[in-house]
Amino acid sequence: MAASSHNGGGGRFFLTTAWVAATALILLAPLVAMRMNVEGVNWTVTDFAFMGGLLVGAGLLYELATWKVTTLRTRLLIAAAIGAVVMMIWVEAAVGIFH
């Protein structure tokens, strides 16, 4: 019993680490674009912190929302809903389209 509890905890730690790693990879795109002097890409430390928090928070929210869900369909619906909200926040923060 202790072994299954330990493995479950280790799996959750791995998933949390995976969300952080995925966030870092996504945030590499604007960092590389800034280094290449791509026009229109001028992020500050605050921008990176905001987007990093948004992406890690979305990943952790997904983990929390699907903690007990077993069906793939429900997991995909939860992922789609969280993804849509993240994209709306990202677009609003980038260009202010909703106001």
Side-chain angles (χ1 to χ4, degrees):
M1 183 130 159
S4 66
S5 173
H6 176 69
N7 289 339
R12 288 291 170 199
F13 175 75
F14 172 75
L15 290 175
T16 303
T17 306
W19 288 116
V20 173
T23 297
L25 286 174
I26 291 169
L27 291 179
L28 273 177
L31 182 64
V32 169
M34 285 174 50
R35 294 290 181 210
M36 296 176 61
N37 294 324
V38 173
E39 187 178 332
V41 181
N42 187 19
W43 284 32
T44 64
V45 174
T46 307
D47 295 326
F48 281 100
F50 177 76
M51 287 304 157
L54 178 67
L55 293 173
V56 169
L60 295 176
L61 179 63
Y62 173 79
E63 289 296 322
L64 181 64
T66 60
W67 192 277
K68 302 276 184 180
V69 175
T70 57
T71 63
L72 178 62
R73 181 175 186 254
T74 306
R75 286 179 176 257
L76 290 174
L77 288 172
I78 291 170
I82 292 172
V85 170
V86 166
M87 294 311 274
M88 287 189 333
I89 293 171
W90 193 305
V91 167
E92 176 60 28
V95 294
I97 203 165
F98 297 115
H99 72 310

